Amino acid sequence: MDRVRKALDFCIRHQTTLSYSIVSLLTAGSEHIFSSVVFKCPCNSGNMLYGSSFLLAPAFILLLIGYMVSARTWRLFTGTCSPEKHLQRSPRGTCASFCQLLVLMTAKASVAPLTWIAVALLGANFYECAASGSNLTASLLSKVNGNYSQEMLFKMPCDKELSARISSEWVSLQAQSQLIGWFLIASIMTVTLISTCVTHCCSPVSYLQLKFWKIYSKKEHELFEIKAKEHATKLAERNTNCFFEATDPAPFHTPSNEDWQKISILYTFNSQEQYYSMIHKYVSTNRGNSAKFSDEGQDLTVLAFVDETQTS
C-alpha cells in the first residue's frame, strides 16, 4: 500500500512532465500506425503533395487540438468581445497580454505536433515520398548524375532497387530525413532548456515560495470545485423545490456577474501587492472594490501555472 501511495505522490508531483510524455508517446504510436498501415506513396507526380500532407497536416491538426484542450485558451477568449470587458483595460495592455499568452499557449500546444514531425522524419517514409516529387531534388540529382530522370525519381520510394542504386551515388533521402529529424529534436531540447532557465531566472519569487505558490493554487482550485458544487446543488434544490411546491424562493446569495468577472481576469503579478490568485486578490481588496484591485502587474511566464491551475 505504501508503494502505491508513493507512486501516486510521484505522479502528482510530476503530472505535467508525465502528461507531456504520454502525449508524446501516443503521438509517436499514431505516427507509426499511419506510416506502416495508412501511408502509401503514389510514386508519381503527386508524391510531393501526398508526402507533405502526411508530414504536416496531422501536425497542424494536433496543434489545433492542443489549443482546444487548453483551459487557458477559453479563459483568454471567453467574453473578450463583450463591451464591458473591452472597456476594462487599455488596448496596449490587452494586446501585450494577449501576445504573451498566445506564445505560451502555442509552446505548450506544440508538443504533439513537433513530436509527430520529429518521429515522421526519423521514420523517413513521408519525407522520402515528398522529396522524390520535388523539382529541387531532381535538379540536384541531375547535377550529380544526369542518367536519372524526374520519372525515375518519382518511382524511387516504390522501387527499392532503384532507390539503392541512386543512394549509392547520392545522399539518400532517408538519410536526409533522419538528419533533419535529429536536428529538430536537438533544437527543441535546446530551446526548451534555454526558455526554462530564462523563466526561472526571471522569477519574482524564490524557489521555495514558488513551490508553496503551486501548492496553494492547487488546493484553492480543489476547494473552489467543492464549494461551487455545494453552492450549485443548494441553489438547484431551492429552485426545484419552489417549482414543484409552488412556493416563493427563500433569499439565496450568489456571486454577481461583476464578481465572477473579477475573479476570471487573467492573473498578473504585482511585487507591491503580492497575491497568490485572483480570488486571493479579490477577497483581500474588499471584494474587488478597492483601488488596489485594478492595479496590474507584469505577466511572467514562470507564473503561468496560476491561471492553468484555476482552469484545469
Side-chain angles (χ1 to χ4, degrees):
M1 194 65 182
D2 291 337
R3 292 182 178 179
V4 175
R5 187 179 296 107
K6 290 180 180 179
L8 291 175
D9 291 339
F10 176 82
C11 293
I12 292 173
R13 289 196 305 270
H14 301 87
Q15 57 183 343
T16 301
T17 303
L18 289 175
S19 62
Y20 286 151
S21 300
I22 292 173
V23 169
S24 299
L25 289 174
L26 290 175
T27 304
S30 301
E31 191 281 332
H32 178 72
I33 295 174
F34 267 75
S35 178
S36 58
V37 178
V38 180
F39 181 77
K40 301 293 181 183
C41 188
C43 295
N44 53 34
S45 58
N47 285 10
M48 182 66 179
L49 178 60
Y50 189 81
S52 300
S53 298
F54 271 81
L55 182 63
L56 301 178
F60 180 70
I61 294 173
L62 289 171
L63 179 64
L64 296 181
I65 294 176
Y67 282 125
M68 292 172 61
V69 300
S70 174
R72 184 180 292 172
T73 302
W74 307 117
R75 187 179 186 116
L76 176 63
F77 283 101
T78 301
T80 302
C81 298
S82 63
E84 293 81 4
K85 192 169 184 178
H86 180 71
L87 295 174
Q88 288 179 356
R89 297 187 179 187
S90 62
R92 174 180 294 183
T94 302
C95 183
S97 300
F98 178 85
C99 293
Q100 184 180 18
L101 291 171
L102 184 61
V103 171
L104 292 175
M105 291 188 297
T106 302
K108 293 182 179 295
S110 298
V111 174
L114 291 176
T115 301
W116 175 278
I117 295 176
V119 174
L121 288 172
L122 292 178
N125 290 342
F126 303 155
Y127 178 86
E128 186 177 23
C129 181
S132 65
S134 172
N135 294 329
L136 178 61
T137 304
S139 62
L140 292 175
L141 183 59
S142 64
K143 293 179 180 179
V144 177
N145 191 326
N147 297 328
Y148 298 106
S149 63
Q150 179 72 69
E151 293 298 328
M152 296 179 66
L153 189 61
F154 287 156
K155 298 178 181 179
M156 190 179 72
C158 302
D159 191 338
K160 299 303 180 183
E161 294 182 1
L162 177 62
S163 178
R165 190 162 64 250
I166 295 178
S167 299
S168 63
E169 301 178 3
W170 188 56
V171 178
S172 68
L173 298 179
Q174 185 177 15
Q176 293 180 29
S177 179
Q178 292 173 345
L179 287 173
I180 296 173
W182 282 118
F183 178 77
L184 177 62
I185 294 174
S187 300
I188 294 172
M189 296 301 296
T190 302
V191 171
T192 301
L193 177 61
I194 293 175
S195 60
T196 302
C197 292
V198 170
T199 53
H200 279 270
C201 287
C202 297
S203 173
V205 295
S206 64
Y207 173 78
L208 290 179
Q209 186 178 4
L210 186 63
K211 190 173 183 178
F212 167 81
W213 200 327
K214 292 181 179 180
I215 295 174
Y216 169 84
S217 297
K218 180 181 177 182
K219 293 300 180 181
E220 183 188 83
H221 172 65
E222 293 175 354
L223 292 174
F224 181 86
E225 288 285 333
I226 295 173
K227 291 294 183 180
K229 290 179 180 178
E230 292 178 355
H231 198 83
T233 301
K234 292 179 181 178
L235 180 59
E237 289 178 351
R238 188 204 69 166
N239 294 338
T240 305
N241 291 335
C242 291
F243 173 76
F244 284 103
E245 297 172 5
T247 58
D248 295 331
F252 191 94
H253 174 74
T254 58
S256 64
N257 292 339
E258 184 180 0
D259 293 333
W260 285 111
Q261 182 64 49
K262 288 178 179 178
I263 67 169
S264 298
I265 297 174
L266 289 170
Y267 175 83
T268 55
F269 178 80
N270 192 329
S271 58
Q272 302 299 323
E273 298 291 342
Q274 178 179 300
Y275 304 108
Y276 291 120
S277 68
M278 290 308 300
I279 293 181
H280 184 193
K281 187 175 183 179
Y282 172 83
V283 299
S284 300
T285 55
N286 190 23
R287 296 188 298 278
N289 295 319
S290 172
K292 293 182 179 180
F293 184 83
S294 59
D295 293 340
E296 295 187 7
Q298 181 182 7
D299 278 320
L300 297 175
T301 55
V302 74
L303 299 178
F305 66 88
V306 178
D307 290 322
E308 288 181 343
T309 303
Q310 296 302 317
T311 55
S312 61

